[in-house]
Amino acid sequence: MLENKTNPTHSKSTGLPRKRFYRARAHSNPLSDSHFPVPVSPSHVDYSTHYPQHFSTSDQAGSCKKIQFADIGCGFGGLLISLSTLFPETLMIGMELRDKVTEYVKERILALRVANPGQYQNISVVRTNSMKYIPNFFEKAQLSKMFFLFPDPHFKEKNHRRRVISPFLLDEYAYALQVGGIIYTITDVEELGDWMKACLDNHPMFEALPSEELEADPVTKLLSSATEEGQKVDRNGGQTFLAVYRRLAPSL
Amino acid sequence: MEDTPMEYEETNKDTEVAPALIAVHPTQNSVAVAIGSDLRVFDLLGGWAVSLVDDSGGSLHKDSIRAIRYGASGKLFVSAGDDKLVKIWSTESWRCISTVCSEKRVTAVAISKDGSYVCFADKFGVVWVVEVEGFDGSQPSPNKKAAPMLSHYCSIITSLEFSPDGRFFVSADRDFKIRVTVFPRKPLDGAHEIQSFSLGHTEFVSCLAFVCTQEYPQGFLVSGSGDSTVRLWDISSGSLLDTCDIREKAGPLEFKGIEEECCAAVTDLCTILDSTLVAVAVQSLQGIILLRCDLSARTLNVAKVVSIKGDTFIPTSLATSVSSGLLWMVTGASNLGDFQSPLARVRVVSDFMETGPDPTVLEDDETPGGEKLLGKLQGRVSIDEKVFLTAAEALKTSMSKLLIKKQYSTEKREFRKRGRNDKKLKQ
């Protein structure tokens, strides 16, 4: 038909992928055994496929750069794309468990790179289970920001262990974050908001960011405005619950 | 389509085969063997079979024991397993001084170097800690509740170990991961500070041990895995120092008549104390492999293969004591079908000199404790040859069912997703 032959799933006018071809279930079981490839260790993460412009063979200068921002459960990638232009020198990665959604974000980034030469070279996406494989991707203290935006609420008590913010998983996030690094969480579910706050409050290696710092941080505004999930909550006039915490050095 | 309920039933039955385990008192006062739900202890000082006394309110273990261990001082002994009970014993009276209930099946145990905490891991990847307070061995303390300390996200934890200086706590899981955690002053509040992850194995990690000498008192970690390698690690940075592939030494794995593609898993590791030798038990090997660890060069190499003549003796568990220079081995399986009693066979290897004669496998009459010990620990003195092969096969199936991830073809995966709404929309 009239559709672009090479990319029938992409919009003709913008070249961006269209969401209707990448619909996926809203939930994915983080407990099931994964069958996708996982890097053996952080040194096995292939940066050149994720950031070809920064890690081309001729350019040695950028090759020591490491990923600094991680968007855990990045969904359709709205936050990554906003952050990309806000922090053009920082490498960031989105991690998403649903294969089709990851595929969409991948296509979206590629299309943005084509449409805006030189831009969006610092963002990428990977399909993985970040509740299991954070240490396979990041070295100790590698990250300066981690994002957990509108995570799956898992209301039932027996499923609380599937929540991405939980007392024991915070140990791993604290390991991947450098001292002073910031963890951003937001949800439209009050119960989950309280839970995430409580988990972070009770963890000895995190402290809440003071409100003036929170207001001064340009990222704060993006949490609710940049993501697809946040825009949806906004459209429906819903409330959001924010918890932003800083990684502390452990007290001995 | 192929996943009939019967297949699941079989799976469950197979995983219930537990390997025989062995532990030796640090100064070889006693030896313990666990087979199925049976815990057998022989007192080597007195030369008699120990009868266990459990008046802590519970009974003895009711299901397969999966982990046994002596404390570093030799005063405590811990046993735990599929019946979700962790039993802490005094090694003087062999009374159970405390029974801790776990929510899930227990897969590994460890005792802190000062003997004040017992840690155990459950099948959902949570490590729990319980305080052994004011213990004098005479009085049973009230049964305590354990506190969760750390977690490997829903992965079966296969081994727990304290570093020689007691500063770090190491846990290994079936997701190829080894986590090194700073052991806190108040472990009951949780262990949150991760020192490092030791990543490099490409299959489940099955066992951990520390090699330490006077020059390197902090020690180095060695780990065995289902990927047929033993690896040497620096735990403070998590860096991989050396990898020793034991596949060639283990030989091709003949199993059910078919040579399998998958590799022979390392089932247990044991460091020969005051030396840099590591004894390795491998799923298919009739004997043990001795590795030499060069701590200044940070290398790990095969020193020798000690084969065992006679029975088809493939050790399932290894143990040694500080002083004796003997390596104790056991092979066996808890469940060998309807008409056979569980198998347990104990052998001992001596002479691990740096120079001098090769290590020798002791005959039954040379084994400390002699026939009396074997009678207690094995349950019988002589064993039918055929049982060994059955046991080895059953254990291998059970271990791979438990720890190796199932591989489905893409078609099969897609087929299983056929009912999902997002799949239906496509058509």
Side-chain angles (χ1 to χ4, degrees):
Chain A
M1 286 182 289
L2 285 175
E3 285 200 327
N4 184 338
K5 273 192 190 104
T6 49
N7 252 336
T9 57
H10 287 47
S11 154
K12 274 178 291 170
S13 50
T14 62
L16 289 171
R18 288 189 295 173
K19 257 194 203 165
R20 50 181 283 224
F21 293 105
Y22 297 91
R23 295 231 190 276
R25 299 208 296 181
H27 309 280
S28 197
N29 182 3
L31 304 181
S32 66
D33 271 349
S34 330
H35 51 263
F36 43 79
V38 174
V40 172
S41 77
S43 60
H44 291 76
V45 179
D46 184 2
Y47 277 62
S48 64
T49 58
H50 284 295
Y51 313 100
Q53 206 178 71
H54 288 268
F55 293 87
S56 59
T57 41
S58 54
D59 176 27
Q60 290 298 312
S63 59
C64 57
K65 260 191 170 178
K66 292 206 171 120
I67 295 168
Q68 287 198 307
F69 293 0
D71 185 359
I72 313 298
C74 66
F76 290 95
L79 179 79
L80 277 179
I81 283 151
S82 306
L83 286 174
S84 172
T85 45
L86 197 60
F87 299 91
E89 293 309 311
T90 309
L91 295 185
M92 40 192 115
I93 198 156
M95 302 176 118
E96 174 59 51
L97 183 53
R98 295 167 290 168
D99 49 353
K100 276 196 191 168
V101 179
T102 317
E103 213 46 50
Y104 172 84
V105 180
K106 210 178 268 170
E107 293 294 328
R108 189 175 176 184
I109 293 170
L110 288 179
L112 282 169
R113 284 178 183 170
V114 171
N116 308 276
Q119 280 189 299
Y120 300 104
Q121 295 294 337
N122 59 333
I123 54 173
S124 188
V125 69
V126 68
R127 193 230 172 154
T128 196
N129 183 346
S130 48
M131 295 165 84
K132 283 188 174 187
Y133 302 118
I134 286 271
N136 296 65
F137 283 91
F138 310 117
E139 288 164 11
K140 190 177 187 176
Q142 183 181 328
L143 299 176
S144 58
K145 289 184 197 300
M146 286 181 99
F147 299 91
F148 298 86
L149 310 189
F150 302 98
D152 202 334
H154 291 296
F155 292 107
K156 286 182 193 167
E157 203 180 324
K158 85 172 173 70
N159 282 340
H160 282 181
R161 63 198 172 97
R162 298 189 189 189
R163 287 178 169 171
V164 71
I165 297 287
S166 63
F168 292 120
L169 283 173
L170 283 176
D171 298 351
E172 288 190 22
Y173 306 152
Y175 163 85
L177 277 171
Q178 60 200 51
V179 172
I182 295 173
I183 192 166
Y184 297 85
T185 72
I186 189 171
T187 177
D188 57 328
V189 180
E190 188 168 9
E191 182 198 330
L192 181 69
D194 292 343
W195 161 277
M196 295 199 292
K197 239 186 163 78
C199 288
L200 284 156
D201 276 331
N202 293 331
H203 199 282
M205 282 152 89
F206 288 103
E207 71 168 5
L209 215 64
S211 55
E212 58 270 26
E213 258 183 75
L214 198 60
E215 273 161 39
D217 190 339
V219 176
T220 312
K221 281 187 287 294
L222 295 178
L223 299 182
S224 50
S225 68
T227 62
E228 286 73 8
E229 204 57 40
Q231 289 158 7
K232 194 166 88 189
V233 174
D234 204 41
R235 272 203 306 277
N236 301 335
Q239 238 188 320
T240 52
F241 305 90
L242 202 67
V244 181
Y245 281 71
R246 179 188 284 121
R247 157 79 149 88
L248 298 172
S251 56
L252 291 171
Chain B
M1 181 164 56
E2 291 150 67
D3 296 318
T4 55
M6 225 186 81
E7 197 176 314
Y8 286 120
E9 239 172 32
E10 247 174 41
T11 312
N12 290 339
K13 212 174 102 193
D14 282 337
T15 51
E16 272 165 27
V17 181
L21 305 170
I22 194 163
V24 181
H25 186 274
T27 52
Q28 207 169 292
N29 294 359
S30 55
V31 182
V33 164
I35 177 74
S37 60
D38 206 5
L39 182 59
R40 303 165 181 171
V41 183
F42 190 84
D43 188 321
L44 278 166
L45 289 184
W48 61 70
V50 170
S51 50
L52 302 167
V53 187
D54 188 352
D55 41 24
S56 67
S59 52
L60 294 172
H61 285 289
K62 290 186 280 296
D63 205 342
S64 294
I65 297 169
R66 295 287 183 168
I68 53 172
R69 179 180 290 239
Y70 283 90
S73 68
K75 283 186 190 157
L76 289 179
F77 179 86
V78 180
S79 60
D82 288 351
D83 62 355
K84 307 179 186 177
L85 297 180
V86 180
K87 290 187 172 286
I88 307 172
W89 306 83
S90 154
T91 56
E92 274 159 41
S93 57
W94 285 104
R95 278 170 186 278
C96 178
I97 54 166
S98 188
T99 300
V100 185
C101 293
S102 166
E103 285 172 27
K104 314 278 182 199
R105 294 177 174 203
V106 181
T107 56
V109 294
I111 304 172
S112 69
K113 290 287 158 184
D114 60 2
S116 48
Y117 296 99
V118 167
C119 300
F120 62 92
D122 71 26
K123 239 183 155 173
F124 276 60
V126 181
V127 177
W128 303 78
V129 60
V130 66
E131 200 170 6
V132 191
E133 183 191 19
F135 158 68
D136 59 3
S138 58
Q139 237 148 22
S141 55
N143 293 340
K144 293 196 187 76
K145 264 199 97 88
M149 188 171 77
L150 61 92
S151 162
H152 286 227
Y153 193 70
C154 293
S155 183
I156 298 172
I157 294 181
T158 50
S159 185
L160 298 175
E161 205 67 47
F162 279 90
S163 69
D165 55 11
R167 278 182 64 209
F168 299 113
F169 180 74
V170 190
S171 41
D173 69 26
R174 82 183 263 260
D175 280 333
F176 323 166
K177 216 181 281 173
I178 301 169
R179 167 173 161 165
V180 181
T181 313
V182 176
F183 193 71
R185 273 186 313 164
K186 292 182 195 159
L188 296 173
D189 297 341
H192 302 291
E193 192 188 351
I194 301 172
Q195 177 68 25
S196 67
F197 281 98
S198 299
L199 302 172
H201 279 299
T202 53
E203 251 310 333
F204 63 88
V205 184
S206 52
C207 43
L208 301 171
F210 273 93
V211 181
C212 70
T213 58
Q214 280 175 334
E215 296 90 70
Y216 299 96
Q218 83 282 7
F220 290 92
L221 182 71
V222 280
S223 62
S225 155
D227 65 7
S228 283
T229 64
V230 177
R231 294 179 199 241
L232 181 69
W233 309 90
D234 173 8
I235 55 163
S236 64
S237 67
S239 48
L240 175 62
L241 303 174
D242 201 10
T243 301
C244 185
D245 197 319
I246 48 89
R247 203 167 327 189
E248 267 176 41
K249 295 287 172 191
L253 186 56
E254 288 270 342
F255 180 57
K256 282 181 183 164
I258 320 153
E259 210 169 283
E260 294 229 326
E261 275 174 48
C262 81
C263 21
V266 175
T267 49
D268 203 8
L269 284 175
C270 184
T271 44
I272 313 291
L273 281 134
D274 292 326
S275 81
T276 49
L277 289 174
V278 182
V280 181
V282 189
Q283 222 161 39
S284 59
L285 181 76
Q286 200 178 322
I288 50 162
I289 300 175
L290 285 177
L291 305 182
R292 171 158 288 114
C293 182
D294 185 337
L295 294 183
S296 57
R298 314 271 199 270
T299 58
L300 192 63
N301 291 299
V302 174
K304 210 169 281 170
V305 177
V306 182
S307 47
I308 296 159
K309 308 275 182 303
D311 314 324
T312 314
F313 189 95
I314 301 170
T316 53
S317 175
L318 308 173
T320 143
S321 63
V322 179
S323 53
S324 68
L326 296 179
L327 177 75
W328 293 74
M329 311 180 287
V330 70
T331 188
S334 62
N335 185 353
L336 297 173
D338 303 333
F339 302 106
Q340 297 181 58
S341 53
L343 162 75
R345 174 83 171 100
V346 176
R347 300 298 301 263
V348 178
V349 185
S350 74
D351 296 323
F352 293 98
M353 307 296 191
E354 292 288 321
T355 54
D358 275 1
T360 44
V361 183
L362 299 183
E363 293 302 324
D364 283 358
D365 52 356
E366 301 166 328
T367 303
E371 243 177 48
K372 222 169 152 189
L373 170 130
L374 295 175
K376 170 67 180 173
L377 298 183
Q378 297 179 174
R380 49 195 157 164
V381 177
S382 65
I383 295 159
D384 184 12
E385 168 69 15
K386 274 183 288 183
V387 186
F388 287 99
L389 276 175
T390 323
E393 269 190 25
L395 284 168
K396 190 181 175 299
T397 316
S398 150
M399 192 171 190
S400 61
K401 285 252 167 74
L402 186 68
L403 294 174
I404 294 178
K405 289 179 185 174
K406 290 193 184 63
Q407 299 292 332
Y408 300 105
S409 62
T410 322
E411 298 82 59
K412 198 168 177 188
R413 269 208 307 273
E414 290 306 314
F415 179 77
R416 292 172 74 122
K417 288 183 194 166
R418 69 197 179 280
R420 275 169 39 169
N421 282 334
D422 57 326
K423 296 281 159 183
K424 281 179 189 159
L425 282 176
K426 228 176 162 181
Q427 267 84 53

